[in-house]
Amino acid sequence: MDDHYINKFEEVMTREWIRDQTRQMYYRNLFKEAGAFFDILHPIMQHYVSIWTSVRKAEALGESIIRMGSGNHELMNLGRNLLELDGLYDLKLYRSRLQEKQLYNDACWELEVAQALKYNGFQVQFNDESKIRYDFTAECLGTTFAVECKNKQIQDKTFVANSAFAYLLGSRTIDKLTKHGYAVDLKVTVKETAVFEDYKRVMLAINNMLREGNSQTRVGHQYTIEVIKDFRHLPTPKALEAIPNIHCCITGEERLKSELNKVYTERERGTSFQNRMFFSIPEERAEVKNLQDLIKKANRQVGENPGCLFLQVPYSDFSMCKEEISKFVYRNGYSNIHLVKIVALKSSNHGMGVKIDRLEDFVINSKARNPIPSILLERLTDHLFFSKFVNDIIWPT
C-alpha cells in the first residue's frame, strides 16, 4: 500500500515539479550559504533530504535496515491523505497550494483535518472558497456544520538560523582540522542569534587558538570556543548525553545536508574519534502571536453556520495556546464558532520507525449562535487524530 501513497503524492505534485525542485536544491547546495540553503528549500525537499540522509547513514554504518525517519513519514502521510480523499478536493487547487512553499503547511493541515473527520464517521465536502469562505462542510447524522482550519505550527527563526550556522561552521571547520591532522573535540557556544557571515571569523579564531596551544577563545560577545578533553573516549551519542546543553554535533562523517537537529551515530572505532564540534545554542522557542485575530477571522469565515475551528499549534506552546484561546472565547463569545479544537503534532525518529507525539484538547463556546448538536459535539471533542493509524502495523522498538 505504501507504493500507492507515493504514487498518488507524485501524481498530485507532478514528477516534473519534483525534478525541478531537486535540480534547484542541488544548485543551492553547491552555491549558497547553508542558512540560505535551508531557508529557501520547499518543505517537500526537506523531507527528501531527510530520506536521502537516512540511506547514506545506513550505507556509512553498514546497516542492512534503513531507518527512514520523519521525512519519509511526512511524504507517506501526505500521499495517504491525497489518495484516501481523492475526488473530494479540487486537484488543481490543492496541487498549486502544495507546490507553493508558503501555502504548503496550511494545505497539508486541511487535508489532515478532513482525513481525521472521515475516519471518525463524518462526511466531508470541500468548498469552492471563491463562493464559500470556510474550508469545508462536514456532515454526520443528518447535521451539517462549517469547518475552518488554521495552522500556527511555526518555526523559531532564531533557532533555525543558529542551527544552519552550526552546520556551516562545523562542516567547513572539520574539513580544515582533518586536513591539518588535528584530532580534537570542540564546543562552540552561540549567544542569542548567530550571523552567517561570522563563520569565517570564528574559523580563524579556532585556527589561532589551536596553533597557539590555547584551550579557549572568544569572538566578540557572541561566540565562545573551547577544547573539551573529558569525552574523547565516548562515542558521539554518549558524548551528546554527557555534555550539558548541547544541540548538535558535527563530525567528519556527518557531511550531509541533513535536518540540522538530527545527530548521527559515528561508526564505532574503539576509542579513536576524529574531529568533532559540539554546538550549544539557545533552545527552540516557537512563540505564537495574534491568536485572537486568527479566531476573529475564522469566526467571520464560518458566517451564520454552526462552526468548528481546527487549530494546529506548536507542541511546545500547546498549554499556553489553550489558555489564551479559552480567555478569548469566554470573554468575547464569538457568535459563530461553537468549538475550537486545538491540536499539536510532533514527529521524531524512534527505533525502527517514527514516533508521533500528539496533544489534543478543545474549548467550547457556550454562547454560540448556532450550536452543534450535543451528540456530534461529543464526537468532535473525542480524540480524532490517529484514528487512521489504528489498523497499521506497529513495529516493536
Side-chain angles (χ1 to χ4, degrees):
M1 194 63 183
D2 290 356
D3 290 342
H4 296 310
Y5 298 153
I6 293 298
N7 290 340
K8 188 62 180 180
F9 160 76
E10 292 180 342
E11 174 193 330
V12 172
M13 301 306 298
T14 75
R15 291 178 175 84
E16 180 181 2
W17 180 86
I18 294 172
R19 284 195 297 269
D20 180 63
Q21 289 293 309
T22 305
R23 285 194 297 268
Q24 292 184 46
M25 185 186 70
Y26 279 123
Y27 175 80
R28 289 160 180 164
N29 184 353
L30 292 172
F31 300 107
K32 303 290 184 182
E33 296 290 6
F37 168 75
F38 278 93
D39 186 55
I40 61 180
L41 272 186
H42 189 284
I44 283 179
M45 288 299 104
Q46 295 179 29
H47 300 327
Y48 268 81
V49 168
S50 174
I51 294 171
W52 293 331
T53 302
S54 299
V55 175
R56 291 286 299 277
K57 177 193 172 185
E59 291 175 350
L61 299 178
E63 296 175 343
S64 59
I65 299 177
I66 300 173
R67 297 169 174 82
M68 295 303 289
S70 57
N72 181 68
H73 164 76
E74 295 295 339
L75 295 183
M76 293 289 292
N77 190 53
L78 174 58
R80 180 174 186 170
N81 289 343
L82 290 169
L83 179 64
E84 296 184 359
L85 294 170
D86 191 29
L88 298 178
Y89 56 86
D90 184 318
L91 175 59
K92 291 183 178 179
L93 173 63
Y94 271 83
R95 173 179 291 150
S96 66
R97 295 186 66 197
L98 289 168
Q99 289 179 350
E100 177 62 43
K101 178 188 171 186
Q102 304 302 329
L103 301 177
Y104 173 82
N105 289 326
D106 292 344
C108 286
W109 177 235
E110 291 168 13
L111 293 168
E112 189 68 30
V113 172
Q115 186 77 307
L117 289 171
K118 177 186 172 184
Y119 268 85
N120 284 274
F122 295 86
Q123 292 182 324
V124 175
Q125 178 182 343
F126 285 76
N127 296 326
D128 180 350
E129 292 192 35
S130 64
K131 300 177 181 177
I132 301 176
R133 298 183 64 191
Y134 53 90
D135 293 319
F136 46 84
T137 302
E139 187 271 332
C140 187
L141 301 177
T143 300
T144 62
F145 58 95
V147 177
E148 179 61 25
C149 307
K150 298 295 184 186
N151 178 26
K152 294 293 284 186
Q153 177 70 9
I154 57 178
Q155 286 185 312
D156 180 349
K157 293 183 179 179
T158 296
F159 183 80
V160 172
N162 285 337
S163 299
F165 176 83
Y167 177 83
L168 175 63
L169 174 63
S171 58
R172 299 286 178 91
T173 304
I174 290 294
D175 281 349
K176 297 291 185 182
L177 294 174
T178 303
K179 181 178 179 181
H180 290 89
Y182 286 103
V184 296
D185 281 351
L186 298 176
K187 178 182 176 182
V188 179
T189 302
V190 178
K191 183 180 179 182
E192 298 177 352
T193 306
V195 179
F196 295 124
E197 291 77 8
D198 286 347
Y199 84 91
K200 292 182 179 179
R201 289 200 300 134
V202 178
M203 283 181 64
L204 179 61
I206 292 172
N207 180 64
N208 292 338
M209 178 187 71
L210 295 176
R211 190 180 64 228
E212 296 168 5
N214 298 325
S215 61
Q216 185 172 356
T217 188
R218 294 179 181 273
V219 179
H221 299 291
Q222 188 75 341
Y223 313 99
T224 302
I225 305 99
E226 56 188 305
V227 178
I228 50 178
K229 300 179 180 180
D230 296 340
F231 308 98
R232 290 292 296 163
H233 64 289
L234 292 179
T236 303
K238 296 294 185 183
L240 283 163
E241 294 175 1
I243 307 173
N245 303 319
I246 293 298
H247 160 62
C248 67
C249 176
I250 306 296
T251 79
E253 294 186 357
E254 294 167 0
R255 293 299 319 282
L256 302 172
K257 290 293 188 286
S258 63
E259 293 176 302
L260 290 167
N261 63 337
K262 301 297 186 294
V263 178
Y264 299 152
T265 306
E266 180 173 330
R267 186 194 301 271
E268 294 288 350
R269 293 179 299 189
T271 58
S272 175
F273 298 100
Q274 287 187 317
N275 299 293
R276 300 184 295 189
M277 293 186 70
F278 297 89
F279 287 85
S280 176
I281 65 177
E283 292 184 359
E284 183 174 15
R285 176 69 179 174
E287 184 178 357
V288 179
K289 299 179 180 179
N290 302 322
L291 277 176
Q292 187 169 8
D293 291 340
L294 181 146
I295 296 175
K296 286 180 179 178
K297 181 178 179 181
N299 191 65
R300 291 194 300 270
Q301 289 174 293
V302 166
E304 300 297 322
N305 306 279
C308 179
L309 168 62
F310 283 82
L311 175 63
Q312 184 178 29
V313 301
Y315 193 89
S316 59
D317 284 346
F318 181 85
S319 296
M320 182 277 290
C321 289
K322 184 192 173 185
E323 182 179 349
E324 291 296 311
I325 291 168
S326 298
K327 291 178 183 177
F328 299 152
V329 171
Y330 294 148
R331 182 171 63 241
N332 298 310
Y334 298 104
S335 57
N336 300 323
I337 295 176
H338 190 192
L339 175 72
V340 180
K341 187 82 171 184
I342 310 163
V343 182
L345 302 171
K346 181 178 70 172
S347 64
S348 58
N349 295 340
H350 185 75
M352 294 302 298
V354 175
K355 177 185 177 183
I356 309 295
D357 291 309
R358 177 201 64 190
L359 294 171
E360 191 172 341
D361 212 332
F362 59 89
V363 175
I364 295 177
N365 176 17
S366 59
K367 302 176 183 178
R369 182 182 306 163
N370 292 312
I372 298 171
S374 58
I375 190 171
L376 292 187
L377 197 63
E378 184 176 344
R379 284 198 185 190
L380 289 169
T381 54
D382 199 2
H383 294 302
L384 300 179
F385 294 83
F386 276 18
S387 295
K388 66 181 177 183
F389 299 117
V390 168
N391 295 319
D392 287 0
I393 296 174
I394 307 297
W395 294 101
T397 59

